[in-house]
Amino acid sequence: MAYLTLNKTKLKENYEFLKKIFQENEVAWGVVSKLLCGNRLYLQELINLGVTEIHDSRISNLAMVKRLNPDVQTVYIKPVSKRNVGKMVEFADVSLNSELETIHWISEEAVLQNKNHKIIIMVETGDLREGVMGEQLIDFYSQVFNLPNIEVIGLGTNLNCLNGVMPSTDKLIQLSLYKQIIELKFNKKIPWVSAGTSVTIPLMLTHQLPKGVNHFRVGETLFFGVDLFEEKVIEGMHGDVFELHAEIIEMQEKPMVPVGNLAANPQGEVAEIDEDLYGRTSFRAIVDIGLLDVDPKYLIPVDNSIEILGASSDMLIMNLGDNPNKYKVGDILTFDLKYMGALGILNSNYVDKKVIS
C-alpha cells in the first residue's frame, strides 16, 4: 500500500521560521489545518508544536481539534450553511462571516448554547469570492455588533483564492482604513485586521505589509515552505514536509507507442502519437496509487530521471527509460507533492499516513 509521510522535524523548523517572523512583525497568526483532512495523527503534531489557534473549513475537523486539546482556539473559515450552524457554534470559537442572516442564526444558536461566539467580517477586496462590498460595510457592521452573544473581533479578506488577484499594500491599507472608520463611528474596538494568508507572507518578508494588518491565517507556507509570489521555496524553509511513497507492482520493457486503434480512455483523453517513438522501447513501472487518490499533475518524482506517463483509477504509470537505477518490482518510488496533491492523498482512505523524524 502507498503511504504518506510527514517529517515532524521539517514541520517544526518551518513553524519556528514563521513564528519568528510573525513575532518580529507583531502579527498574531493561526494555522489552517484543512489540508490535514482531520487526520488525528497529523493534527496532534500541530498541537505538539504549541499551536494555539487552528483554522479549518470542515466542522468535523475542528471537533477533532477540540477532542485533542479543548484549549486550542478553533476558527471556521467559510460561510456556514444554515443546517450546520449548531455544530459550528459548538466546535468553533470564531467564524468568518459575510451574510447578515447567517450571523443572526449564529447569534440565536450561541444564546441557546450559552456561549459567546466571535466573528470576523469578511470584506470583498477584488478576488470575488466571499466578502461584504466595501460600500456596504458600515451598514453591515451596524446590524451585527449589538447582536446577543456575538463579538466582532476582526475584519478579514481572502485574495488569490478564486480569480488569482494578488494581495498588495494598497488593498491591505484599504482594509485597515475600514477598521479605523468603524472604530471611530461606533466607538468599538476591532482587534484584528485578518488580511493575511500564505499568499500575503512575501509582503511581510519584503517589508511591504501595512502596520494595520495584525493577523494571518497560514497553511500552505507552513506545510510547503512556499513563496506564492515567486512559486519557490522560501530560503530557510522546507518544501518536502510531506512525501508520498508508492510501491512498484509491475516492471516491464514495453513499446513507447500504443498498438491498435485509439479511442478515448475513461478520462475522455485520446493518446497523442509521437511518430519518432515507433520501434523504441522503455522500461515502464506501475505503482500502487491512482486517480482515485491524487491527480498525477500534483506529483513530482524525487528521482528526476523518471517521468509520470499517466494514470488510471488505481494505478500510476511511470517511464523509467533504460532504468539506470535498476528499479524492480517491490521497490518504492518517492514523490514530492504540490498542495492539491497532498490534499487528495490526505483525503484518501487508501493511503497510509505516517510521521517520521
Side-chain angles (χ1 to χ4, degrees), residues 75-77 88 92-97 106 117-120:
V75 184
Y76 188 66
I77 57 172
M88 191 277 290
D93 303 307
V94 187
S95 60
L96 278 51
N97 289 277
I106 293 171
H117 188 81
K118 303 170 188 175
I119 69 170
I120 297 171

Side-chain angles (χ1 to χ4, degrees), residues 121 137-145 152 182 186 188 190:
I121 299 173
L137 182 60
I138 300 297
D139 180 61
F140 188 98
Y141 180 81
S142 72
Q143 297 184 61
V144 301
F145 79 95
V152 179
I182 288 174
F186 295 94
K188 287 283 187 178
I190 298 179

Side-chain angles (χ1 to χ4, degrees), residues 239-257:
D240 56 350
V241 169
F242 289 107
E243 286 189 324
L244 172 67
H245 310 269
E247 183 178 332
I248 297 175
I249 55 177
E250 179 187 296
M251 167 73 72
Q252 299 284 341
E253 185 175 6
K254 295 186 177 183
M256 298 182 72
V257 176

Side-chain angles (χ1 to χ4, degrees), residues 1-132:
M1 175 183 279
Y3 62 96
L4 180 74
T5 55
L6 179 149
N7 187 305
K8 66 179 182 180
T9 300
K10 292 179 179 180
L11 178 64
K12 184 177 190 300
E13 290 174 359
N14 280 2
Y15 176 75
E16 293 297 335
F17 180 97
L18 290 172
K19 181 180 176 182
K20 181 175 184 291
I21 63 170
F22 284 127
Q23 286 177 339
E24 290 172 350
N25 287 272
E26 299 180 341
V27 171
W29 68 301
V31 172
V32 178
S33 67
K34 63 182 182 179
L35 173 74
L36 304 182
C37 296
N39 183 277
R40 185 187 187 100
L41 181 66
Y42 289 173
L43 284 172
Q44 186 64 61
E45 289 301 321
L46 279 188
I47 293 170
N48 291 346
L49 292 173
V51 174
T52 58
E53 180 180 303
I54 292 180
H55 301 226
D56 211 296
S57 57
R58 305 287 179 176
I59 297 170
S60 60
N61 297 348
L62 295 179
M64 176 62 75
V65 172
K66 286 297 190 185
R67 285 195 289 272
L68 293 172
N69 187 342
D71 295 329
V72 171
Q73 177 163 267
T74 49
V75 184
Y76 188 66
I77 57 172
K78 71 176 184 180
V80 64
S81 62
K82 183 177 182 180
R83 68 186 183 89
N84 284 322
V85 167
K87 288 183 179 179
M88 191 277 290
V89 171
E90 180 180 359
F91 295 112
D93 303 307
V94 187
S95 60
L96 278 51
N97 289 277
S98 53
E99 279 291 337
L100 283 171
E101 191 168 12
T102 302
I103 299 173
H104 280 275
W105 296 335
I106 293 171
S107 172
E108 292 168 3
E109 187 61 42
V111 169
L112 288 174
Q113 295 188 29
N114 194 28
K115 297 177 70 173
N116 288 321
H117 188 81
K118 303 170 188 175
I119 69 170
I120 297 171
I121 299 173
M122 299 302 286
V123 182
E124 177 58 64
T125 53
D127 200 45
L128 303 181
R129 204 176 72 169
E130 80 275 29
V132 180

Side-chain angles (χ1 to χ4, degrees), residues 296-301 306-311 316-319 335:
K297 68 184 179 184
Y298 300 124
L299 299 179
I300 306 166
I306 65 180
E307 64 174 336
I308 298 171
L309 292 174
L316 186 68
I317 316 303
M318 308 293 301
N319 178 19
F335 301 85

